[in-house]
Amino acid sequence: MKLLVVEDENKTADYVRQGLMEAGFVVDLGRTGLDGHHMAMTEAYDLIILDVMLPDIDGWRILQAVRTAGNQVPVLFLTARNNVDDRVQGLDLGADDYLVKPFVFA
């Protein structure tokens, strides 16, 4: 399976990528909103993991662009934004799930 992780915090991005690769996934990493948007729109992925707060373009807009393009790839928000309204917004925009940082792989 090929996954896209869009995360601007280097430590978190590297941790998530390493954990997923150790689990056997192929992982592409976008470290800015623009990079993540470009990758999401031009490559085929089995899952996209998005942060909300990104430089350039936020995760909400990336998800909107993916869904507007007709792409129904599963999307998981992985973000520090833990407000119920944020969770509802993410799910209303078409995310499949919403996980709040910090988290552990177990």
Side-chain angles (χ1 to χ4, degrees):
M1 290 185 76
K2 186 175 176 183
L3 311 181
L4 172 60
V5 175
V6 184
E7 171 62 60
D8 64 316
E9 294 178 14
N10 289 332
K11 186 175 180 179
T12 301
D14 293 340
Y15 174 73
V16 170
R17 183 176 189 215
Q18 183 66 34
L20 292 170
M21 289 175 61
E22 287 177 6
F25 297 101
V26 174
V27 181
D28 287 346
L29 184 58
R31 294 187 187 264
T32 68
L34 285 175
D35 287 344
H37 180 270
H38 175 75
M39 296 167 83
M41 299 302 289
T42 60
E43 300 281 334
Y45 293 100
D46 298 296
L47 173 69
I48 298 174
I49 300 173
L50 282 176
D51 189 5
V52 172
M53 298 177 290
L54 296 163
D56 309 320
I57 298 174
D58 65 37
W60 307 129
R61 289 181 53 201
I62 295 171
L63 176 58
Q64 286 175 314
V66 166
R67 294 298 185 242
T68 298
N71 188 341
Q72 293 303 310
V73 60
V75 173
L76 166 70
F77 274 112
L78 177 61
T79 180
R81 294 182 64 149
N82 62 358
N83 185 314
V84 172
D85 291 338
D86 291 328
R87 293 177 195 202
V88 169
Q89 180 177 353
L91 296 171
D92 283 348
L93 289 172
D96 295 275
D97 210 344
Y98 194 103
L99 182 63
V100 177
K101 298 175 197 173
F103 70 98
V104 293
F105 272 97

